[in-house]
Amino acid sequence: MSRYWECPSCRALLTRERLEATSGVCPYCDARVGPAAEFADPDALPVEAAAARPLPPVAVPATIAGKLGMAAWLLVEQLPLIAGLVILFKLPANAGLEIIIERRGEAAHPLAPLLLKLAVELFFDPIVTAAVLVTMAARMSGRATTFPVALRAGLDSWWWLLAARVVKQLTIMAAGFGLLFPALGPLRILFVFPMLFLVVRYALVDEVTVLDHAPVLDSRRRSSELVSRRALTVVAAGFGSLIALVLVIQAIGGWAERVGLIEDPIARGASTTLFDVLAVYNTIVLFLIYWEARTGPEGATAFKPAVEEEVL
């Protein structure tokens, strides 16, 4: 059975493999877990090229507008890595779905595209999201993340994040079970409010599952604790990011329609994948709220980049 080490700072449970990759430093908060010599891996590759060029640590802006702006900046800065992750997992799936729908034509069920898209998101999005979250956590402390490291982090967290999301969605759906009973008439609208309440309270389930290593059944409680005094921030930032995404996607969709890209299924799949890349913006916005809740306003500068120890 694998042995785990607990980070003295963020309490994350870490395997020897992860500590070997960072020479005994927690990959999430850069706290020293053990002596570098104890976790030296004789088969490890030399220090990553990214570690040779440390980046300046980033602090989370206090205002909602500042968070939205920083999320856009981080998306652009990390765009090659994020686009690579999304394209790897979602471009084949999106293109395949468009080809299937194109061949079935009018015989396809009206909800078929939506259901197929939801199935793709269910199984592939946790990998991309986990990889992005690990990349963002490292970036806040001034460390760059390579594509292989991000990909491995996403694959390692896939099952746990998938399970946490399923439990989260089932809980939210259970809160709105009254919507299934037409006999309740107008009273059914009352069941929307507990669903919206839980959507906000569980907004940070992804972050606590991937970065805090919270157990699946405990991730909802941990998210609620972090959101408890930041509900308005979560709502306002989530709404702001949604509006920004809708405007950008409409502009790109209008351009794609004018040049005739939507007529080809492969081009439509590529357009959908581009929208998936842009949708990572919302993930980054929520991550910034999580990071501020976890570390405090000055928390980002409290952690020294692990690469500095290597360089010095």
Side-chain angles (χ1 to χ4, degrees), residues 305-312:
V307 293
E308 290 183 1
E309 298 180 7
E310 300 290 345
V311 174
L312 296 177

Side-chain angles (χ1 to χ4, degrees), residues 160-206:
W160 304 109
L161 184 52
L162 173 61
R165 284 184 170 185
V166 170
V167 172
K168 165 187 168 181
Q169 294 301 330
L170 289 177
T171 305
I172 293 173
M173 292 170 62
F177 75 98
L179 295 172
L180 301 176
F181 299 97
L184 295 176
L187 293 178
R188 287 192 297 170
I189 192 66
L190 297 177
F191 289 91
V192 173
F193 296 103
M195 294 180 67
L196 294 177
F197 175 79
L198 292 182
V199 167
V200 175
R201 298 287 288 189
Y202 297 162
L204 303 181
V205 162
D206 290 358

Side-chain angles (χ1 to χ4, degrees), residues 83-125:
L85 290 167
V86 174
I87 290 172
L88 176 63
F89 289 101
K90 295 190 177 182
L91 179 57
N94 288 333
L97 293 180
E98 292 295 340
I99 292 175
I100 292 173
I101 295 171
E102 178 84 5
R103 290 182 176 179
R104 296 192 64 180
E106 297 181 357
H109 192 278
L111 294 179
L114 177 60
L115 295 176
L116 290 173
K117 180 63 176 176
L118 289 177
V120 170
E121 292 296 317
L122 176 65
F123 288 101
F124 293 110
D125 191 66

